[in-house]
Amino acid sequence: MNVLVCVKRVPETGARITLTPDAQAIDTTLLGFTISPHEECAVEEAVRIAEQHGGSTTVLTLGPPGAVEQLQNALAMGVGAAVLLETDGSDWNAEETAAAIADAIRARPEPLDLLLFGNEAADSGDYQVGVRVAHMLGVPCVTGIKGIASEEGRLTARREAGGGWEIFELPLPAVVTVKEGLNLPRYASLPGRLRAKKTPIERIEPRRRASGLETIRLVVPEERRSQVAILGRGAEAAPRVVEILRDLGLVAS
């Protein structure tokens, strides 16, 4: 089975996000980058499928030259090949990104059986790229998946729903967007990291299509504020601690 997993270079989880003065982009001057936990699970699933069924695995991303780091991390986990749709670092919206990915897939010499995406981007949370790619390629798509099994050219996918599971059966090729919890991603080994450094990365300059979407401005959500109260120091704080525990109903009055 030939599997392609698509990832996105995003600011590190927990990083403090600031915007450029025109509110059109994230100021990346002091940020580190990673991929989202959903996409880490997609990479792990691609490797597991290849280990179980054979075939090839490829990781693809659209982004600046610095996105090579995220591709190498996926290679170090066991993915066999990497493709960078190299841009100048400017932001591409979901419509433009999906079109570039679909063009790259159509141009590949070997057919792909399964396309894996994270369920949503960790930075913009737009939920769109995987679905748009499936529509452009004319293949079935399921989203929010936390279980995958394949047998005899068909795919079974599970999605949590109302305390139970929704089960989908799809013919291949297909697009699946997965959520964190699908599996437990492995740590990249030292030999894997060394191999990743030596693995050539295919670079493609994507054609940017005209888009009907327009960014007006970005807004950083208001930070949640919390308060801390010092109850005392040493033994003198004990009565106040007991009082709070009683108020919370954790100890008998």
Side-chain angles (χ1 to χ4, degrees), residues 29 52 56 88 111 116 132 237 242:
T29 306
Q52 182 178 0
S56 68
D88 59 3
L116 294 176
R132 286 179 176 273
V242 172

Side-chain angles (χ1 to χ4, degrees), residues 25 38 44 48 87 90 98 101 166 168 181 197 209 224 233 247:
H38 299 313
E44 173 65 25
R48 292 189 184 190
T87 70
S90 59
I101 292 173
E166 292 178 335
F168 301 89
K197 292 289 186 181
R209 293 188 183 181
R224 294 181 180 179
R233 299 186 182 280
D247 291 343

Side-chain angles (χ1 to χ4, degrees), residues 5 13 18-19 34-35 39 51 63 95 103-104 112-114 119 124 136 141-142 149 202 205 217 246:
V5 55
T13 305
T18 58
L19 303 180
T34 185
I35 64 174
E39 291 169 345
E51 290 173 344
E95 184 179 9
D103 286 343
L112 293 169
D113 301 299
L114 179 60
N119 198 57
S124 58
M136 291 174 182
C141 174
V142 289
E202 182 181 355
E205 184 176 344
R217 67 187 180 98
R246 284 174 176 165

Side-chain angles (χ1 to χ4, degrees), residues 56-72:
S56 68
T57 53
T58 304
V59 61
L60 179 147
T61 193
L62 181 144
V68 164
E69 178 184 359
Q70 283 67 54
L71 294 177
Q72 288 177 333

